[in-house]
Amino acid sequence: MRFQLLGPLALADGPDTVVLQPSKPANLLAALLLNANSTVSAGYLQRAVWGEEQPATAKAALQTCVLRLRRLFAKHGVTGTAIEAVPGGYRIVAGPPTLDLLAYRDQVRRATAMDRDPEAELYMLRDALSLWQGALLANVRSAVLHRDEVPRLAEERLRVVERVCDLLLGLGRCGEALVDLWTATRVYPGHERFHEQLIEALYRSGRQSQALAEYRRVKDFLREELGVDPSPSLRRLELSILRGEELGPVGQAALAASAPGRAAPVVSASGEAVGSGSASGEVVGSGSASHAVVSRVVRGETVPQPDAEPPGSEPAPAPASGPDPAPAPDPATIPTPVTAPALTSAPAPVAAPAPAPVTVPPGAATGAPSAAGACAPSVDAGVGPVPGVPHFTGRAAEAEAMTARLTAPPSTGPADHRALAVVVSGAPGIGKSALAQHVARQVGDAFPAGRLLVRMTRADGEPRTAGEVSAALADALGATGEGRALLILDDVVDADQVRPLLTPGGPPGTGPGLAVVVTSRMGLGGLIATHGGWVQRLTAFTEAESYGLLLAALGAERVEAEPEAAHRLTAVCGHFPAALRILTARLLTRPGLRLADAVDWLGDDPLARLTLTDSPGHSVTGLFDRALDRLDPRLSQAFTHLAQGPPELLADGGPEHEGPVPEAVREQLADAGLLEDGPPGPYRIHGLLRAHVRRTARIRDRRTEKV
């Protein structure tokens, strides 16, 4: 049994987690765990439970809360952890194996001791950050704890995230650092160190204009919101960029200064040092405040914080060019940088590396499209250059067919100005976007006017209108040269969303011979019927393609040393591209884990393990949830019924006691990519998707624990 503090207060036993309902005993348990192994005074505990104004019976009621917690421990078989009554208060005994906060601090301490081995330190810090599971103590209704303890914990985490980004910059892995720095700077707009790291990463990636634009943005914020100028280090960095100077390697002094172990200890309410807080001499405040800014404002003055800026594009792929930040998560949870695996035709990559800098012709404005057809992205409309998909594997036949189709001479006749459409459809997570992007990169010579990736849905899942997409395309394509252009309309919701863009003549700014690749979970048969085109329907990988993905992502040395275990891993993932992509990302962060051991680890609970714990949005369960949320409620209910029932429900006759699910319903679900195959063959539900629906139903029915 394990206590979880780094998120909602919960008890975890393997894959099973019981989240405690808000209550006075829950407040008490949180206060004790935050100061585990230390005596906490009864007075402080009473304030944590009832606030500053306590009832006259608070002392007796505190003893009742302790009794209720002890009963809860006995009910769930908690051993090795007990609440002890000691002179002056209470103490709870716990260790790293039984409390995630102590495990986190222990991991950070061990990582700090490896400061001579940056790769090892980075690995251990990432592992520590993976223990954070959401908003801190979201189910604990204690104003005292949220005032006194939560900001300190958030500060501990921010210092580790800073250190991780410093290590990535020092190792020359700027592309990985950018993914998380975009988010961190938007969630914590007053945190100057994150801005400094982001500007440095942009400049080192060859994106000078974006680095200067980011400096101007943070400078305006600091002056307008706080009335201060950027820190000297930020100003020096701007000057170096304006001069075009080489920054050189990240200094060891900077890396040492960011090490969590260099920070002054955070003192708990009981007077014990409990972990790392802010640096010596600085005020420990909200995690959303900058160390530099806090030290320069009047002590005790509240630093205003604006709301996080809205994202400019979809969460995947990660920003490869242009200033689009990743969608902002809950302020208590910044995603931890994760090494991107060698990507295949899985869905859009976790963290695509930044492309090579675009060469701008002499006299051209910075950010204008290059002669090679790279177009400046439009932030608001999610329009940008097509990112590459490194180490693309699988889908050889599909890629060859699409390449031949797109590079064929444009048709002549009455519809010679109508866009050539290729529809790539299939289940969520099957690899539609990656295939479209890979092919678009291969056929660049055939489209001198440019290739653009257009996000057809926003970060919140809402579809963009054809009108706003058309306006954004006019801006992006307005400066391109003559010739054909290629558009990827990614994640189209339905045919009506894309029809206006496929009319004769195409969107404004496009010329004759425009080619359009549409990716969608829907089959879009109505679009093909009215506008013509060609369909490429994707299914799960073959066994050989799955094995090839592991080879490309993990390296031949590691995979070929355990070929049988590698094949078993692909089978546990159901040869599903998104699942394989997440698996390889997790294995890359654990280079010492044997594949045979990973089989047992993954097989115990595949759905729980097929997630990037530092970035919960990248998970098989999240992918399926978002797909089901798009369905009409009646279709969603029908699919849940099919997934929970026996396979016979998918047959034409159905079980005698239930009867068949109407053919029209099954066809709609198949068109949405949730059912495989269909007439004249049988319908099927992918094993991972069926397991997800059943798991979700169990979690929904499982009540939270009332203390």
Side-chain angles (χ1 to χ4, degrees):
M1 185 64 67
R2 181 185 182 90
F3 293 98
Q4 293 182 344
L5 271 178
L6 303 180
L9 180 61
L11 301 176
D13 185 8
D16 296 324
T17 301
V18 175
V19 178
L20 303 184
Q21 289 185 354
S23 63
K24 298 295 189 294
N27 293 355
L28 173 61
L29 179 59
L32 289 170
L33 290 173
L34 285 165
N35 301 279
N37 305 314
S38 301
T39 299
V40 187
S41 69
Y44 179 78
L45 291 175
Q46 289 168 202
R47 291 196 302 274
V49 173
W50 285 280
E52 300 298 342
E53 297 183 5
Q54 303 159 32
T57 59
K59 185 174 181 180
L62 182 65
Q63 296 173 350
T64 302
C65 288
V66 171
L67 179 61
R68 290 169 63 182
L69 287 176
R70 287 170 175 165
R71 289 174 178 168
L72 176 71
F73 292 178
K75 175 181 176 181
H76 289 282
V78 176
T79 59
T81 302
I83 300 176
E84 302 173 348
V86 295
Y90 292 90
R91 177 176 61 199
I92 193 168
V93 179
T98 56
L99 178 58
D100 60 356
L101 176 59
L102 296 182
Y104 168 76
R105 288 172 174 161
D106 181 65
Q107 188 83 337
V108 171
R109 278 193 295 270
R110 289 191 286 122
T112 304
M114 296 183 175
D115 54 359
R116 297 187 179 217
D117 186 351
E119 286 283 1
E121 184 183 359
L122 179 62
Y123 169 77
M124 293 195 71
L125 290 178
R126 281 173 165 166
D127 201 40
L129 287 170
S130 70
L131 294 172
W132 292 70
Q133 298 295 321
L136 285 168
L137 303 182
N139 56 334
V140 174
R141 305 291 190 262
S142 170
V144 171
L145 295 182
H146 282 277
R147 180 195 67 199
D148 298 342
E149 301 289 351
V150 168
R152 297 176 181 179
L153 290 177
E155 187 72 13
E156 287 187 53
R157 187 175 191 280
L158 287 179
R159 290 189 63 80
V160 173
V161 174
E162 284 181 37
R163 176 65 174 175
V164 166
C165 292
D166 275 335
L167 288 168
L168 288 171
L169 292 175
L171 292 168
R173 288 148 67 172
C174 298
E176 295 178 46
L178 277 173
V179 175
D180 297 277
L181 287 169
W182 280 120
T183 301
T185 53
R186 272 51 182 174
V187 175
Y188 299 97
H191 197 301
E192 287 184 85
R193 180 57 186 150
F194 282 147
H195 287 285
E196 187 177 344
Q197 290 172 319
L198 174 61
I199 293 167
E200 181 178 345
L202 286 169
Y203 184 55
R204 289 179 182 276
S205 300
R207 295 153 72 173
Q208 180 182 17
S209 60
Q210 287 178 249
L212 291 171
E214 184 62 23
Y215 175 82
R216 288 192 294 270
R217 201 186 72 81
V218 67
K219 178 181 177 181
D220 291 343
F221 168 77
L222 292 174
R223 286 184 172 178
E224 294 172 9
E225 298 294 331
L226 306 178
V228 297
D229 288 322
S231 64
S233 59
L234 265 175
R235 296 199 298 270
R236 285 194 297 269
L237 180 59
E238 181 211 21
L239 188 59
S240 295
I241 295 173
L242 289 171
R243 292 173 174 172
E245 297 174 349
E246 291 287 340
L247 297 182
V250 176
Q252 291 301 313
L255 288 178
S258 70
R262 305 291 189 271
V266 173
V267 180
S268 72
S270 62
E272 298 289 334
V274 295
S276 301
S278 65
S280 299
E282 294 176 347
V283 180
V284 178
S286 168
S288 62
S290 164
H291 303 307
V293 172
V294 171
S295 65
R296 285 185 283 130
V297 297
V298 179
R299 184 176 299 274
E301 180 179 345
T302 302
V303 179
Q305 294 291 335
D307 293 334
E309 294 185 8
S313 66
E314 294 296 303
S321 178
D324 297 5
D330 187 291
T333 55
I334 303 177
T336 309
V338 173
T339 303
L343 300 173
T344 70
S345 58
V350 175
V358 175
T359 302
V360 181
T366 302
S370 71
C375 304
S378 172
V379 176
D380 292 337
V383 178
V386 178
V389 185
H391 306 291
F392 186 91
T393 61
R395 310 295 191 201
E398 293 89 340
E400 183 180 356
M402 285 182 63
T403 298
R405 184 80 178 181
L406 292 173
T407 56
S411 59
T412 58
D416 56 346
H417 292 296
R418 173 167 287 175
L420 167 66
V422 176
V423 176
V424 183
S425 62
I430 208 67
K432 304 177 291 295
S433 299
L435 175 62
Q437 290 165 206
H438 171 72
V439 171
R441 302 277 292 194
Q442 299 300 307
V443 299
D445 292 342
F447 298 96
R451 295 157 290 158
L452 288 177
L453 178 66
V454 184
R455 306 288 181 196
M456 299 300 289
T457 53
R458 300 186 181 89
D460 58 5
E462 288 297 312
R464 289 188 166 90
T465 65
E468 66 178 288
V469 171
S470 182
L473 284 173
D475 292 339
L477 288 167
T480 60
E482 297 294 328
R484 303 179 69 194
L486 172 64
L487 304 181
I488 298 178
L489 305 182
D490 192 47
D491 199 14
V492 169
V493 174
D494 55 37
D496 290 337
Q497 186 190 19
V498 74
R499 278 195 181 103
L501 302 175
L502 299 180
T503 54
T510 59
L514 172 70
V516 177
V517 176
V518 175
T519 74
S520 177
R521 298 171 186 175
M522 308 300 293
L524 302 184
L527 180 69
I528 298 299
T530 57
H531 286 66
W534 180 73
V535 178
Q536 180 66 67
R537 185 82 172 180
L538 301 184
T539 59
F541 275 161
T542 64
E543 185 174 351
E545 287 175 325
S546 298
Y547 189 80
L549 168 55
L550 262 61
L551 283 172
L554 304 178
E557 181 179 355
R558 187 175 181 185
V559 174
E560 291 178 351
E562 300 179 81
E564 182 181 352
H567 282 292
R568 288 169 61 197
L569 279 174
T570 63
V572 173
C573 291
H575 305 293
F576 198 70
L580 291 164
R581 175 172 58 91
I582 293 169
L583 170 67
T584 55
R586 297 209 66 173
L587 290 176
L588 281 169
T589 63
R590 290 166 173 79
L593 180 64
R594 295 175 60 250
L595 299 189
D597 295 333
V599 173
D600 297 332
W601 164 76
L602 180 63
D604 287 342
D605 193 351
L607 289 171
R609 272 72 190 270
L610 288 172
T611 181
L612 301 179
T613 53
D614 58 296
S615 182
H618 293 106
S619 67
V620 170
T621 55
L623 180 71
F624 290 156
D625 279 336
R626 291 189 292 272
L628 293 172
D629 287 344
R630 280 195 191 179
L631 286 180
D632 179 278
R634 290 171 295 179
L635 278 180
S636 180
Q637 185 177 7
F639 181 73
T640 300
H641 175 61
L642 287 170
Q644 289 185 273
E648 291 78 14
L649 276 177
L650 294 168
D652 289 336
E656 293 183 2
H657 63 286
E658 292 197 43
V661 173
E663 173 69 22
V665 172
R666 288 179 285 164
E667 273 293 286
Q668 286 178 287
L669 291 171
D671 189 58
L674 299 176
L675 296 184
E676 299 174 350
D677 291 338
Y683 291 100
R684 298 191 310 276
I685 299 176
H686 192 279
L688 284 178
L689 184 53
R690 184 186 290 274
H692 169 70
V693 173
R694 292 178 175 177
R695 177 190 177 93
T696 302
R698 288 197 304 271
I699 294 174
R700 185 176 60 247
D701 296 338
R702 181 191 300 159
R703 66 183 179 87
T704 56
E705 182 73 30
K706 184 176 181 180
V707 185

